[in-house]
Amino acid sequence: QVQLVESGGGLVQPGGSLRLSCVASGISLEHFAIGWFRQAPGKEREGVSCISVTDDTTENVDSVKGRFTISRDNAKNTVYLQITNLRAEDTATYYCAATSELYYFCQHDDQLYDFWGQGTQVTVSS
């Protein structure tokens, strides 16, 4: 059974930092492109950061560029999302997802992703 489990969310003040983790079981993440998505109340889910299988390509949406960094540790079967300079508009539930359909590059299209975690809540508030 494939499971992705996110952790690391919490309540943070504006300007603060968090590191989200996504640990997999049942699959080896090194063979999958990974995406981080988020969904705020009343809004559609959006992809924010992704990394290709080869790690040569990472993509961040404009709203998070310079603040979000995705990385992976294959030995730990874990993908991370380092978030700095958090803003109120970053408040959302964050999900990691894995896809076997992408290799040399990655995309934010959630329809491409096969496996999803349950999400971790990030709240940015003073």
Side-chain angles (χ1 to χ4, degrees), residues 5-122:
V5 179
E6 302 95 334
S7 63
L11 174 63
V12 185
Q13 291 186 343
S17 300
L18 284 174
R19 188 177 77 161
L20 307 184
S21 299
C22 172
V23 181
S25 59
I27 57 172
S28 294
L29 291 183
E30 64 181 321
H31 302 304
F32 291 79
I34 306 300
W36 281 95
F37 296 78
R38 67 185 180 187
Q39 188 166 23
K43 294 188 176 181
E44 291 188 356
R45 184 168 60 191
E46 64 167 342
V48 293
S49 188
C50 65
I51 186 167
S52 66
V53 173
T54 59
D55 293 351
D56 292 341
T57 301
T58 61
E59 296 285 346
N60 292 303
V61 295
D62 287 346
S63 60
V64 308
K65 283 181 178 177
R67 302 188 300 118
F68 286 28
T69 303
I70 188 171
S71 63
R72 67 166 87 220
D73 185 337
N74 290 333
K76 295 182 178 180
N77 213 22
T78 301
V79 175
Y80 303 99
L81 186 68
Q82 180 70 46
I83 308 174
T84 61
N85 193 19
L86 277 156
R87 305 169 181 170
E89 54 264 37
D90 295 321
T91 295
T93 302
Y94 284 73
Y95 302 89
C96 66
T99 176
S100 58
E101 298 188 36
L102 302 171
Y103 192 83
Y104 293 107
F105 57 96
C106 63
Q107 294 180 14
H108 299 305
D109 182 354
D110 61 1
Q111 298 300 310
L112 297 175
Y113 288 81
D114 308 303
F115 305 109
W116 291 82
Q118 84 292 343
T120 185
Q121 177 67 38
V122 172

